[in-house]
Amino acid sequence: MAIFGVTVFSEENKEIFHEKVFSIDEDTAMNQVLDELDKKGVPYGICMAEEMG
C-alpha cells in the first residue's frame, strides 16, 4: 500500500481534479478517483497516477 497522487484532466486537457489516495497500485488509485467522478457525473479525459515518495 502506498499514497498516490492522481490527476484527472478534462477532454480539453485542462487539469480538473487532483487527489492523494491510499491504494495498492497506480491502477487501483486511478479507479478509486474515477469511480467517484462517475458517481458525480463529472466528465473527464485522461487520468494519471504517480506514487508519492
Side-chain angles (χ1 to χ4, degrees), residues 1-47:
M1 299 290 279
I3 297 174
F4 292 87
V6 179
T7 304
V8 182
F9 295 88
S10 69
E11 293 175 348
E12 295 81 28
N13 292 326
K14 294 181 182 175
E15 185 175 328
I16 58 170
F17 192 78
H18 183 79
E19 184 173 333
K20 292 179 184 174
V21 295
F22 190 65
S23 186
I24 58 172
D25 60 26
E26 289 178 350
D27 290 333
T28 306
M30 287 188 291
N31 287 338
Q32 286 176 287
V33 172
L34 296 179
D35 286 348
E36 287 300 314
L37 293 178
D38 286 339
K39 288 179 188 175
K40 295 177 182 178
V42 177
Y44 55 85
I46 297 171
C47 179

